[in-house]
């Protein structure tokens, strides 16, 4: 009986030794895989570049010229009648208005849910800085213009334009337009006003 048990032990050991000597390639491979969904949420943001101050300097040349006939003459129908205005044949110097374009005066970049933004402008007249002065330069037609619009070039007091991503090379650049009116400009010197550019994601 003891001899039989020894034989069984030797046989079991031989079997285990044979199994351990088998090549690894004979073992069945076990593979597991899983898929991870990654969600990246980008922030909605907007960057506006603008000039905090702009100086427009006009120049003019003083001159005198002789007019034909009587350049300064007045006609009274009755002696002492001052209802008639002195008639001067000298023409007024300079234009009554001027169209101004400030090139590349603003730029925007950023991200929005639609990939676009609105840009708008409002502004004031320019008034003389001298205390007590009533001289002013009227300003009308405040507007914006950009060639980076959603469907090409856009212009107006409010425009819709592409935000064009987050990199600095793709910002949307635009101009500021205005018309100056000198009808109530009665003094030389500095006249100041302001305009405000507002950008909003949509």
């Amino acid at each position: 009986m003891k001899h039989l048990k020894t034989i069984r032990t030797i046989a079991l050991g031989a079997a285990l030794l044979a199994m351990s000597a088998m090549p690894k390639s004979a073992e069945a491979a076990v593979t597991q895989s899983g898929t991870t969904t990654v969600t990246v949420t980008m922030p909605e943001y907007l960057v506006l570049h603008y000039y905090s101050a702009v100086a427009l300097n006009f120049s003019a040349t003083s001159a005198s010229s002789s007019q034909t006939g009587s350049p300064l003459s007045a006609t009274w129908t009755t002696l002492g009648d001052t209802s008639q205005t002195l008639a001067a044949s000298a023409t007024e110097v300079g234009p009554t208005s001027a169209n101004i374009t400030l090139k590349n005066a603003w730029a925007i970049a950023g991200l929005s849910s639609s990939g676009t933004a609105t840009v708008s402008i409002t502004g004031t007249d320019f008034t003389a800085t001298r205390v007590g002065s009533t001289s002013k330069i009227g300003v009308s037609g405040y507007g914006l213009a950009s060639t980076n619009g959603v469907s090409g070039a856009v212009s107006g007091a409010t425009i819709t334009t592409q935000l064009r991503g987050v990199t600095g090379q793709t910002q949307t650049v635009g101009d500021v337009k205005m018309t100056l009116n000198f009808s109530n400009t009665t003094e030389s010197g500095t006249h100041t006003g302001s305009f405000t550019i507002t950008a909003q994601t949509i």
Side-chain angles (χ1 to χ4, degrees):
M1 188 71 170
K2 184 177 181 181
H3 180 70
L4 183 59
K5 186 176 181 180
T6 302
I7 293 174
R8 287 178 180 170
T9 301
I10 292 172
L12 179 61
L16 291 174
L17 182 62
M19 288 180 64
S20 65
M22 290 177 65
K24 294 289 184 183
S25 60
E27 296 181 1
V30 177
T31 302
Q32 296 292 334
S33 63
T35 300
T36 299
T37 299
V38 179
T39 300
V40 179
T41 302
M42 298 298 291
E44 182 168 295
Y45 78 99
L46 187 61
V47 176
L48 170 66
H49 295 271
Y50 66 98
Y51 289 102
S52 60
V54 174
L56 300 176
N57 297 308
F58 293 99
S59 62
T61 302
S62 299
S64 61
S65 60
S66 174
Q67 303 296 316
T68 58
S70 301
L72 297 177
S73 62
T75 303
W76 286 272
T77 56
T78 305
L79 187 63
D81 182 0
T82 58
S83 63
Q84 297 296 315
T85 303
L86 186 68
S89 61
T91 57
E92 192 147 22
V93 176
T96 58
S97 64
N99 295 323
I100 304 297
T101 299
L102 306 177
K103 299 293 292 181
N104 301 325
W106 57 272
I108 60 171
L111 295 173
S112 74
S113 58
S114 67
T116 61
T118 60
V119 187
S120 59
I121 186 171
T122 57
T124 69
D125 291 335
F126 304 154
T127 57
T129 56
R130 186 181 68 81
V131 176
S133 174
T134 59
S135 178
K136 75 173 185 177
I137 301 171
V139 187
S140 62
Y142 275 110
L144 304 170
S146 176
T147 57
N148 300 134
V150 174
S151 56
V154 290
S155 62
T158 300
I159 63 174
T160 300
T161 186
Q162 294 174 342
L163 280 173
R164 303 170 65 82
V166 299
T167 62
Q169 291 78 19
T170 57
Q171 74 273 16
T172 295
V173 180
D175 307 333
V176 168
K177 294 178 176 290
M178 67 186 81
T179 298
L180 306 185
N181 187 297
F182 305 111
S183 299
N184 296 306
T185 309
T186 57
E187 296 179 6
S188 63
T190 304
H191 294 66
T192 61
S194 66
F195 60 81
T196 300
I197 297 173
T198 302
Q200 181 177 342
T201 59
I202 56 176

